[in-house]
Amino acid sequence: MTRYLMERQAVNVRYGMKLDGKAEYIPGGRFYLSEWKSPQNGITATFKARDALEYMRGTYYKGMYSSGGTTLYALAEAVLTDANLPPLRDGSSPWKLDESLRGITTTAPLPIASYAECLQLIANAGRCVLTMGRDARVTLAPVQAEPSDYTVSAF
């Protein structure tokens, strides 16, 4: 079976629990195969998989000065395209950028830094948050004024 494995092959992890005789699952995340070992006996195999952030460790060298300015949306797209993230399970784009980034322009070039650091700089400039969901989609979206999940109080 190991001959069918390849680097960057998607591995979808989910956790299950039997409740009242029926299995219920929650998504654990999407990871990508990075290495594996299968001894000659064929009884066991060892796999290592990493999340999409692993691809964001590479260095972005293409930050250039633009006298006319560039939108933060275009900068983020350029960084994410260069990072060569694998498409999602349904074949869609592995990132989602908020449309508000199209309205903010800059002439500042991105530094020579990791893809993740460049995206964080873009997120900060656009007053956005950089997140990655369990489906491995990278998202740049504005900070919400109101918490949507839970409230932290003095109690």
Side-chain angles (χ1 to χ4, degrees):
M1 295 292 289
T2 57
R3 68 177 178 228
Y4 298 109
L5 299 176
M6 62 183 173
E7 194 168 335
R8 287 186 160 206
Q9 186 172 0
V11 177
N12 295 304
V13 176
R14 60 187 189 149
Y15 302 99
M17 181 177 210
K18 275 193 176 181
L19 297 171
D20 299 324
K22 183 180 176 192
E24 292 188 16
Y25 294 95
I26 60 169
R30 183 172 173 96
F31 302 91
Y32 300 94
L33 206 56
S34 60
E35 59 185 86
W36 56 91
K37 293 178 187 170
S38 180
Q40 293 295 328
N41 66 13
I43 296 174
T44 61
T46 304
F47 302 93
K48 286 188 181 180
R50 309 200 188 291
D51 63 12
L53 286 176
E54 184 69 24
Y55 302 116
M56 306 297 279
R57 291 183 186 209
T59 304
Y60 185 71
Y61 294 100
K62 299 178 181 177
M64 304 211 28
Y65 172 75
S66 173
S67 61
T70 305
T71 67
L72 295 181
Y73 192 97
L75 281 176
E77 249 184 351
V79 171
L80 288 162
T81 300
D82 198 61
N84 195 23
L85 298 174
L88 296 183
R89 188 176 196 175
D90 61 1
S92 63
S93 172
W95 62 78
K96 183 177 181 187
L97 306 174
D98 191 75
E99 290 296 317
S100 67
L101 296 173
R102 291 186 191 274
I104 304 169
T105 59
T106 182
T107 57
L110 288 170
I112 295 175
S114 72
Y115 296 113
E117 289 170 322
C118 289
L119 286 175
Q120 187 61 59
L121 289 171
I122 295 167
N124 292 348
R127 297 179 53 193
C128 291
V129 177
L130 173 64
T131 60
M132 179 174 290
R134 289 185 182 180
D135 63 350
R137 185 184 307 271
V138 176
T139 304
L140 265 78
V143 177
Q144 294 182 358
E146 295 285 326
S148 61
D149 293 340
Y150 56 88
T151 303
V152 177
S153 66
F155 178 71

